[in-house]
Amino acid sequence: MNPAPMTSQHDIYDPPPSGTSWLPPRSEPLTFTRSDLACLLVLGTLVLIGTAVAFLFEALLGILVLIGGSLVVLESWYTALGFLSRRPTDQTWQRVVIILAALVPWVVCLGLAAALMIGLFVLTDIAA
């Protein structure tokens, strides 16, 4: 059985050129309010408290908590500001909820990773 002849010079492996622009999109400044800055300061303070607690156990752990926590807080804050620039709201409580919602994936993933590590430590302690 012979396949039907192709009427076009392009197929799914060789698509025709698209009209996509090679120029990057224009960057827009992120605007933030006092409540956004207050959320950043509160979250940063929580990271510093966590760092101080971690330093009580191990200096390297404190450094890792400081670096990792700072990156998580800054990334979540910038993500929330990016969302708020596309869907602006003037209500403070909504802005705070959006900033906290940006932290949820980090809290879940890092909490799960920490639980798995603690579980492995417990299992090795029981086995020893």
Side-chain angles (χ1 to χ4, degrees):
M1 183 178 269
N2 291 335
M6 292 183 56
T7 58
S8 171
Q9 296 296 324
H10 297 285
D11 60 7
I12 61 171
Y13 301 108
D14 181 28
S18 65
T20 306
S21 173
W22 289 96
L23 300 174
R26 184 176 58 90
S27 63
E28 299 175 13
L30 293 177
T31 57
F32 55 91
T33 63
R34 289 183 189 151
S35 64
D36 298 338
L37 192 56
C39 282
L40 179 64
L41 292 175
V42 167
L43 293 171
T45 303
L46 290 174
V47 168
L48 290 177
I49 290 170
T51 300
V53 171
F55 261 113
L56 295 175
F57 296 103
E58 178 75 32
L60 181 59
L61 181 62
I63 292 170
L64 292 175
V65 167
L66 178 65
I67 293 170
S70 299
L71 290 174
V72 165
V73 166
L74 286 174
E75 189 275 334
S76 298
W77 193 69
Y78 279 120
T79 299
L81 288 183
F83 177 81
L84 287 168
S85 71
R86 291 186 302 276
R87 298 181 188 269
T89 180
D90 291 333
Q91 295 184 359
T92 302
W93 69 272
Q94 287 180 340
R95 295 182 76 87
V96 170
V97 167
I98 290 170
I99 290 172
L100 293 178
L103 284 171
V104 169
W106 285 105
V107 171
V108 170
C109 292
L110 292 176
L112 186 63
L116 289 173
M117 286 189 292
I118 290 170
L120 287 174
F121 291 149
V122 168
L123 285 176
T124 55
D125 286 346
I126 291 172

